[in-house]
């Protein structure tokens, strides 16, 4: 995954961009970068850009870039958190000098290099993974056209996956383009001195900007200190990612008018309402959330169920790095375990119901439940705030897997069917069907829970509150 922030103003924006990017740190742990533009440098014969890119795998963004701040200056700037490639990049082409940052996923990178760029004899930067730098490839695709708008549209049309981006041109203007299906949000803020653009709306609220505009699917907008201009209109169709609300969106943010925290309360309440209707709600001493994003789902569940909310363990984070998407699974599991500090009085001899935002591989959740039993819990019941995940995301990178069999739902389905075919997939993701019930029972037994239940797809979509045809549910049903 990743996120970005940019600002164009009548004053220096270094600290706005620095803190704006920092407020997107929950979206990635690998790379980060900042680039600023100053016309004074350009007047002195320079291109006007200053840029730094760093790894943030072992050092938080703010600490890593703090020493760079005195050297930055400019009335325009963009920056990013990226789990895909080092960026932003500064490119030279017939379109001029420009800075570029991207968020998305390119599934057909090799094909695009061969189809559009091999005849140019172009050499692309190879990352440690051996993959082409996605942002560099996007820049090359944009440069194939006569102007930025045509180039962005061309890149989005030929990419299999998704592409959301920011461009900062050599006059300090910023061009923002939302993915053509609107899979991720892009929001514009405004204050008396200029404009900003962000993935998370709360980031600019904290910096004194007010909501100005939310881009539609495929829309391309230009911002300067003085104005906002639509360069290409929004399309009609949208498939915004449901996981923005369920998991990785920040609680304070709004997407398409729907607040993340409010959705999670609503989602938990719908889960409890439906479970009570089925007569399947256990009596427990406390309802709790797997922190952090499971907690608001649990609060909603507790309020609707009438059972008390509690925190049987606390996540200790001051000296432990986040474990959002590190490549090393063993380290991810170890750090997650070390963060869990129990409250014995709320665990020993108690019946507990935990709500997690999702169950992907199941490894960390199994370790958490083992930890609770070892700490003296009498019962541990688990609820997932979304249906069983059956597909790795092909449009973004937050839930990508080396193999589809990494997913606990797929492993359980294979164990029940004896093969990996998808003949009964729709039944397995619906816990009200016989196959769906068997899947839940199998996972529950394998994980050692006292009971397990998943939110239904209908319940999750009800909680989000948007028309279902405008929400991407590919991770659950594989439908485009």
């Amino acid at each position: 995954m990743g996120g970005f922030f940019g600002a164009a103003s009548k004053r220096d924006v270094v600290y706005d961009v620095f803190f704006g990017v920092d407020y997107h740190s929950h979206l990635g742990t690998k790379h980060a970068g900042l680039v600023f533009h100053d016309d004074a440098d350009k007047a002195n014969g320079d291109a006007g850009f200053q840029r730094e890119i760093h790894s943030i795998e072992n050092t938080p963004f703010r600490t890593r870039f703090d020493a760079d701040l005195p050297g930055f200056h400019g009335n325009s700037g963009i920056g990013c958190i990226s789990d895909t490639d080092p960026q932003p990049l500064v490119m030279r082409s017939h379109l001029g000098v420009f800075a570029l940052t991207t968020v998305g996923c390119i599934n057909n990178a090799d094909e695009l290099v061969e189809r559009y760029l091999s005849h140019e004899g172009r050499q692309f930067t190879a990352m440690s993974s051996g993959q082409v730098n996605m942002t560099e490839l996007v820049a090359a695709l944009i440069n194939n056209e006569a102007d930025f708008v045509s180039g962005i549209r061309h890149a989005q049309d030929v990419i299999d996956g998704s592409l959301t981006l920011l461009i900062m041109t050599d006059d300090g203007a910023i061009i923002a383009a939302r993915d053509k299906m609107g899979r991720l949000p892009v929001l514009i803020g405004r204050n008396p001195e200029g404009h900003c653009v962000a993935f998370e709306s709360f980031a600019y609220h904290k910096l004194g900007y007010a909501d100005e505009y939310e881009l539609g699917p495929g829309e391309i907008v230009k911002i300067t200190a003085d104005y906002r201009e639509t360069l290409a209109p929004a399309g009609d169709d949208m498939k915004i990612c449901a996981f923005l609300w369920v998991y990785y969106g920040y609680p304070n943010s709004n997407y398409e008018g729907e607040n993340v925290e409010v959705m999670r309360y609503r989602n938990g309440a719908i889960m409890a309402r439906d479970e009570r209707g089925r007569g399947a709600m256990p009596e427990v001493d406390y309802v709790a959330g797997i922190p952090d994003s499971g907690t608001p789902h649990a609060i909603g569940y507790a309020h609707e169920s009438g059972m008390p909310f509690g925190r049987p363990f606390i996540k200790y984070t001051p000296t432990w790095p986040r474990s959002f998407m590190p490549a090393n699974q063993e380290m991810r599991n170890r750090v997650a375990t070390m963060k869990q500090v129990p409250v014995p009085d709320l665990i020993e001899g108690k019946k507990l119901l935990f709500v997690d935002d999702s169950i992907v591989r199941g490894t960390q959740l199994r370790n958490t439940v083992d930890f609770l039993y070892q700490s003296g819990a009498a019962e541990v019941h688990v609820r997932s705030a979304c249906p069983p995940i059956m597909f790795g995301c092909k449009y973004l990178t937050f839930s990508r897997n080396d193999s589809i069999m990494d997913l606990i739902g797929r492993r359980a389905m294979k164990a029940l069917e004896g093969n990996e075919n998808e003949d009964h997939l729709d039944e397995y993701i619906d816990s009200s069907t016989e196959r769906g019930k068997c899947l839940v029972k199998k996972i529950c037994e394998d994980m050692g829970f006292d009971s397990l239940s998943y939110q239904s797809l209908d319940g999750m979509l009800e909680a989000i509150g948007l028309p279902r045809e405008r929400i991407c549910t590919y991770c659950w049903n594989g439908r485009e």
Side-chain angles (χ1 to χ4, degrees), residues 261-419:
E261 185 81 349
V262 171
M263 176 275 175
R264 292 174 183 169
Y265 291 161
R266 198 159 56 218
N267 195 47
I270 291 169
M271 292 171 64
R273 177 199 71 190
D274 293 349
E275 194 163 7
R276 183 191 297 112
R278 298 192 303 269
M281 182 181 290
E283 290 293 329
V284 298
D285 295 298
Y286 295 106
V287 174
I290 302 293
D292 290 313
S293 48
T295 300
H297 297 287
I299 292 172
Y301 189 104
H303 285 176
E304 178 67 23
S305 69
M307 294 183 286
F309 174 81
R311 293 200 297 166
F313 70 86
I314 311 300
K315 189 169 78 170
Y316 187 83
T317 57
T319 56
W320 287 102
R322 286 191 313 105
S323 54
F324 179 82
M325 286 293 281
N328 187 318
Q329 181 68 47
E330 181 180 354
M331 180 54 68
R332 180 206 302 232
N333 296 340
R334 182 169 184 177
V335 168
T337 300
M338 293 297 291
K339 288 179 181 179
Q340 298 165 358
V341 182
V343 181
D345 290 353
L346 301 182
I347 297 177
E348 293 174 2
K350 298 295 191 296
K351 299 177 182 179
L352 307 173
L353 185 149
F354 274 86
V355 184
D356 204 353
D357 53 65
S358 58
I359 306 175
V360 183
R361 299 173 184 85
T363 308
Q364 288 188 25
L365 185 58
R366 175 61 185 268
N367 292 341
T368 297
V369 171
D370 287 347
F371 152 78
L372 290 165
Y373 281 129
Q374 291 163 11
S375 299
E379 296 178 7
V380 180
H381 304 264
V382 173
R383 301 295 180 263
S384 170
C386 67
I389 297 172
M390 292 298 191
F391 294 87
C393 181
K394 64 182 287 186
Y395 302 109
L396 305 170
T397 57
F398 76 94
S399 69
R400 294 177 71 83
N401 299 277
D402 294 332
S403 167
I404 202 166
M405 296 310 294
D406 289 341
L407 301 171
I408 191 170
R410 285 286 184 157
R411 296 198 304 271
M413 189 173 77
K414 180 182 178 182
L416 293 167
E417 289 290 325
N419 55 55

Side-chain angles (χ1 to χ4, degrees), residues 32 78 95 111 124 127 228 337 349 353 361 365 372 398 475:
I78 62 174
L95 299 175
E111 175 192 334
F124 287 90
M127 298 183 294
R228 166 178 57 86
T337 300
L353 185 149
R361 299 173 184 85
L365 185 58
L372 290 165
F398 76 94
C475 292

Side-chain angles (χ1 to χ4, degrees), residues 220-232:
I220 304 174
V221 168
K222 177 181 178 180
I223 60 170
T224 69
D226 298 309
Y227 65 88
R228 166 178 57 86
E229 177 187 1
T230 295
L231 303 180

Side-chain angles (χ1 to χ4, degrees), residues 154-315:
H154 168 64
Q156 291 181 329
D157 286 342
V158 300
I159 285 172
D160 174 21
S162 71
L163 173 62
T164 298
L165 61 79
L166 292 182
I167 289 173
M168 184 167 63
T169 61
D170 56 10
D171 62 356
I174 296 174
I175 298 172
R178 188 175 179 183
D179 172 71
K180 65 181 181 179
M181 295 304 294
R183 298 188 188 280
L184 292 175
V186 179
L187 300 106
I188 306 292
R190 184 177 183 178
N191 68 13
E193 297 164 307
H195 292 87
C196 70
V197 57
F199 179 101
E200 298 281 26
S201 58
F202 84 91
Y204 60 73
H205 292 155
K206 291 294 292 181
L207 296 169
Y209 294 83
D211 291 324
E212 166 82 357
Y213 187 69
E214 184 166 6
L215 275 66
E219 188 169 4
I220 304 174
V221 168
K222 177 181 178 180
I223 60 170
T224 69
D226 298 309
Y227 65 88
R228 166 178 57 86
E229 177 187 1
T230 295
L231 303 180
D236 295 326
D237 297 329
M238 183 171 71
K239 286 290 183 181
I240 189 169
C241 177
F243 259 114
L244 281 164
W245 289 277
V246 173
Y247 172 37
Y248 64 85
Y250 210 71
N252 312 73
S253 284
N254 293 346
Y255 314 118
E256 300 297 323
E258 299 294 338
N259 177 260
V260 172
E261 185 81 349
V262 171
M263 176 275 175
R264 292 174 183 169
Y265 291 161
R266 198 159 56 218
N267 195 47
I270 291 169
M271 292 171 64
R273 177 199 71 190
D274 293 349
E275 194 163 7
R276 183 191 297 112
R278 298 192 303 269
M281 182 181 290
E283 290 293 329
V284 298
D285 295 298
Y286 295 106
V287 174
I290 302 293
D292 290 313
S293 48
T295 300
H297 297 287
I299 292 172
Y301 189 104
H303 285 176
E304 178 67 23
S305 69
M307 294 183 286
F309 174 81
R311 293 200 297 166
F313 70 86
I314 311 300
K315 189 169 78 170

